[in-house]
Amino acid sequence: MPLSAEVHDTAAERLAGLLRQRYRADPPAVDAPWSAAIDAILDHRSARAYLPGALPEGTLELLIAAAQSAPTSSNLQAWSVVAVSDPDHKARLAKLAGPNAQINEAPLFLVWIADLARARAIAGQYGVPGDGLDYIESFLLAALDAALAAQNAVVAADSLGLGTCYIGAIRNHPEAVAAELGLPPEAIAVFGLTVGKPDLARASDVKPRLPQASVLHRERYGASTRPDELAAYNGALRQFQAEQKMAPIDWTEQVSRRIGTSAALKGRERLTEVLRRLGFKLL
């Protein structure tokens, strides 16, 4: 059923507002229908402060059902997730990831696993060596599958009024994390995800993103580092930082610091050798 003119105008205004919020600039021209899913996605912001109390019964299972509804390469479903809610268990993982206070504060911490162990076991049941698992393609497939699944869970959480935040620092000490979670060979934690009811008194706003012209290429890759666009984005992010009472830094400087030296990777520069010790051959 087509939208009435009044409803269409309201939806169009809502969409334009969400886009303006995301880019902190005049929104791209989008003449498309609004939906609740688009609303949840465009309004996403990371939650780093949570209210006490467990999640409603069934929430975890619903988030995992959403995760399992994501696409998966060749239907291999080469991921797993470990749900951690025990305070002592979360505290040990938080120490390995920082320390990280929000892991302790969130009622639920999901650790997403690039998991080739299940496929290896199935290969053994069929009496085949599973040589295809030995290549970097298979590890990449598993990591991508985990990311796709987790992002589905994030969108589902947003739609339920929950907050989430990805924790890449779970890769700082991958062998210790694997031992903490009892992971088998050929399984590694690729990132964590805090989940909980966000504390709105300490809520973050929607963080602006690069202009679409910096990331959207049509037909062929074009220039993606135009100085004027990057300068405008630095300004938008500085405004966000001031509003959030964050230390001011240009995005371009932040990028240069993050990738400037191997030490900035905080131990993750050794990930290839760690993966091999955890059973991945990476041929």
Side-chain angles (χ1 to χ4, degrees):
M1 179 181 298
L3 295 175
S4 68
E6 182 178 350
V7 172
H8 181 275
D9 290 346
T10 301
E13 290 171 5
R14 171 64 179 169
L15 180 57
L18 289 167
L19 291 169
R20 191 173 294 107
Q21 174 180 252
R22 178 55 69 193
Y23 294 109
R24 296 288 181 106
D26 290 336
V30 177
D31 185 16
W34 170 93
S35 71
I38 290 293
D39 197 294
I41 291 169
L42 294 181
D43 198 44
H44 172 77
R45 75 281 311 277
S46 294
R48 294 180 173 84
Y50 299 93
L51 297 174
L55 298 175
E57 193 71 25
T59 300
L60 170 61
E61 292 77 9
L62 184 58
L63 295 180
I64 300 309
Q68 289 188 282
S69 299
T72 167
S73 182
S74 300
N75 199 29
L76 292 182
Q77 304 180 63
W79 63 274
S80 294
V81 62
V82 180
V84 181
S85 57
D86 176 76
D88 291 337
H89 198 182
K90 284 193 298 163
R92 293 193 296 273
L93 290 169
K95 186 175 181 180
L96 291 171
N100 188 294
Q102 62 182 295
I103 296 175
N104 288 318
E105 191 171 310
L108 177 64
F109 185 51
L110 299 177
V111 187
W112 299 84
I113 312 299
D115 186 358
L116 298 182
R118 182 167 51 245
R120 182 73 73 181
I122 291 171
Q125 291 170 10
Y126 279 83
V128 297
D131 290 343
L133 297 175
D134 296 345
Y135 292 84
I136 194 169
E137 156 63 14
S138 293
F139 169 73
L140 185 60
L141 180 154
L144 290 170
D145 262 17
L148 292 170
Q151 187 58 25
N152 254 31
V154 166
V155 174
D158 283 342
S159 74
L160 296 172
L162 299 175
T164 59
C165 186
Y166 282 107
I167 308 295
I170 206 70
R171 297 190 302 278
N172 287 2
H173 301 284
E175 290 172 293
V177 170
E180 183 66 43
L181 299 178
L183 300 184
E186 295 184 286
I188 184 173
V190 284
F191 49 83
L193 185 73
T194 53
V195 184
K197 192 71 175 175
D199 183 350
L200 298 181
R202 297 180 289 161
S204 60
D205 204 348
V206 171
K207 183 179 290 185
R209 293 294 194 243
L210 284 166
Q212 286 197 4
S214 293
V215 301
L216 174 61
H217 307 270
R218 299 183 185 274
E219 309 302 340
R220 293 177 64 83
Y221 192 94
S224 59
T225 56
R226 286 172 46 181
D228 57 335
E229 292 170 359
L230 295 181
Y233 181 60
N234 281 338
L237 200 58
R238 286 279 192 140
Q239 180 184 359
F240 171 82
Q241 292 162 349
E243 293 168 359
Q244 299 293 302
K245 296 181 173 56
M246 300 169 65
I249 182 173
D250 282 346
W251 180 76
T252 47
E253 183 180 353
Q254 183 180 358
V255 170
S256 69
R257 288 186 185 181
R258 179 63 176 77
I259 52 93
T261 65
S262 60
L265 296 179
K266 300 180 179 179
R268 293 176 235 175
E269 69 276 12
R270 298 186 296 274
L271 191 55
T272 300
E273 62 190 71
V274 170
L275 282 165
R276 290 196 168 113
R277 287 201 296 269
L278 291 175
F280 295 90
K281 295 184 174 61
L282 303 180
L283 299 179

